[in-house]
């Protein structure tokens, strides 16, 4: 089974500051990687995904993430935080191996982002 | 509009009273899945279905049942709910191949007293 580690269950930044949310994964087969965002009282929305094309992936709302195979990381960044970015963020990795779990997503525990004015 | 719908959105019930949470998708997706979300634990998969009449257990299947009689619907059944099943539940769907991106419903907040 795959595993995903999100370092820091809570991250607080000031409006305008850099946002950095960390994600490390374990996978024996090159995976697909995802960041989802959950706004209060809403479902999960795809922010961006890595599918073995460019290692730097751009998503919605100014977010981007870089796939680093040597570090098994897929950290999410945004140069300048906005109040509307306050939400919970989940990193997920797909199982691209063989067997009955092919295509299954494994989620990290989430990081709650707070943006201060 | 392509979407995954869940009903009800909110439910308060008592221990032991059978309930069903419905999930429907209009994207003709083969794969559907149920998750529960608990604070500090992220999303954990309960059951999934690769196609009609094909279902399998996820990480936390105890106390839950599912069925997949039609491609678009994937109801979650709690035969005898208990307080430890109080949680936020999400249904999701995707195509059978591609990049495995899943589309999520809006969630069902269940409270069992």
């Amino acid at each position: 089974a795959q595993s995903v580690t999100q370092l820091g269950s809570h991250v607080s930044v000031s409006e305008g500051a850099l946002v950095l949310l960390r994600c490390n994964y374990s996978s024996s087969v090159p995976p697909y990687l995802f960041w989802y965002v959950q706004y209060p009282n809403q479902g999960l929305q795809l922010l961006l995904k890595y599918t073995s094309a460019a290692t730097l992936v751009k998503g919605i709302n100014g977010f981007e993430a870089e796939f680093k195979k040597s570090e098994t990381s897929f950290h999410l960044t945004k140069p300048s935080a906005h109040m509307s970015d306050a939400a919970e963020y989940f990193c997920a990795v797909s199982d691209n191996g063989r067997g009955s779990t092919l295509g299954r997503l494994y989620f990290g525990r989430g990081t709650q982002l707070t943006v201060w004015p | 509009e392509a979407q995954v719908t869940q009903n009800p959105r909110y439910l308060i019930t008592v221990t032991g009273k059978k309930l069903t949470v419905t999930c429907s998708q209009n994207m003709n997706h083969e794969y559907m899945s149920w998750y529960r979300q608990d604070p500090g634990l992220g999303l954990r998969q309960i059951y999934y279905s690769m196609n009609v009449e094909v279902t399998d257990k996820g990480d936390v299947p105890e106390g839950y049942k599912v069925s997949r009689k039609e491609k678009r619907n994937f109801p979650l059944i709690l035969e005898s709910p208990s307080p430890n099943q109080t949680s936020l539940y999400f249904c999701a769907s995707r195509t059978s191949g591609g990049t495995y991106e899943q589309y999520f419903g809006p969630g069902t907040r269940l409270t069992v007293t």
Side-chain angles (χ1 to χ4, degrees), chain A residues 29-101:
Chain A
V29 176
Y32 298 144
L33 295 156
F34 307 85
W35 275 99
Y36 283 87
V37 59
Q38 183 181 27
Y39 297 105
N41 299 315
Q42 294 187 26
L44 276 73
Q45 177 183 359
L46 183 69
L47 203 54
L48 50 80
K49 62 182 179 182
Y50 166 77
T51 58
S52 74
T55 57
L56 183 62
V57 181
K58 294 187 184 300
I60 61 172
N61 300 337
F63 284 92
E64 61 183 38
E66 185 172 9
F67 171 68
K68 292 187 176 181
K69 184 179 179 181
S70 61
E71 299 177 7
T72 59
S73 69
F74 191 56
H75 302 332
L76 182 71
T77 60
K78 182 173 181 178
S80 177
H82 192 273
M83 297 290 288
S84 61
D85 295 326
E88 188 156 24
Y89 293 79
F90 292 93
C91 182
V93 60
S94 66
D95 186 333
N96 289 1
R98 299 179 179 179
S100 62
T101 58

Side-chain angles (χ1 to χ4, degrees), chain B residues 9-112:
Chain B
R9 293 289 313 279
Y10 302 90
L11 179 59
I12 301 174
T13 189
V14 296
T15 299
K17 185 177 181 181
K18 180 180 179 180
L19 66 92
T20 299
V21 183
T22 64
C23 173
S24 183
Q25 49 93 6
N26 62 2
M27 295 171 279
N28 201 36
H29 286 165
E30 294 82 8
Y31 182 101
M32 297 185 74
S33 182
W34 276 103
Y35 297 88
R36 61 177 288 172
Q37 182 184 7
D38 301 291
L41 297 180
L43 275 79
R44 295 179 292 168
Q45 190 179 57
I46 303 170
Y47 269 95
Y48 65 96
S49 170
M50 300 291 282
N51 214 322
V52 176
E53 302 292 1
V54 181
T55 63
D56 207 349
K57 297 176 181 179
D59 293 325
V60 288
E62 294 76 20
Y64 304 95
K65 286 177 55 178
V66 293
S67 68
R68 187 91 181 272
K69 293 182 170 56
E70 302 169 284
K71 194 173 187 179
R72 64 183 293 126
N73 297 323
F74 190 44
L76 179 69
I77 304 157
L78 285 72
E79 295 270 3
S80 183
S82 62
N84 65 12
Q85 293 177 299
T86 292
S87 188
L88 180 58
Y89 291 86
F90 288 102
C91 181
S93 72
R94 63 165 174 81
T95 58
S96 58
T99 59
Y100 308 134
E101 171 187 342
Q102 293 192 20
Y103 297 82
F104 284 82
T108 295
R109 186 167 292 282
L110 172 65
T111 301
V112 183

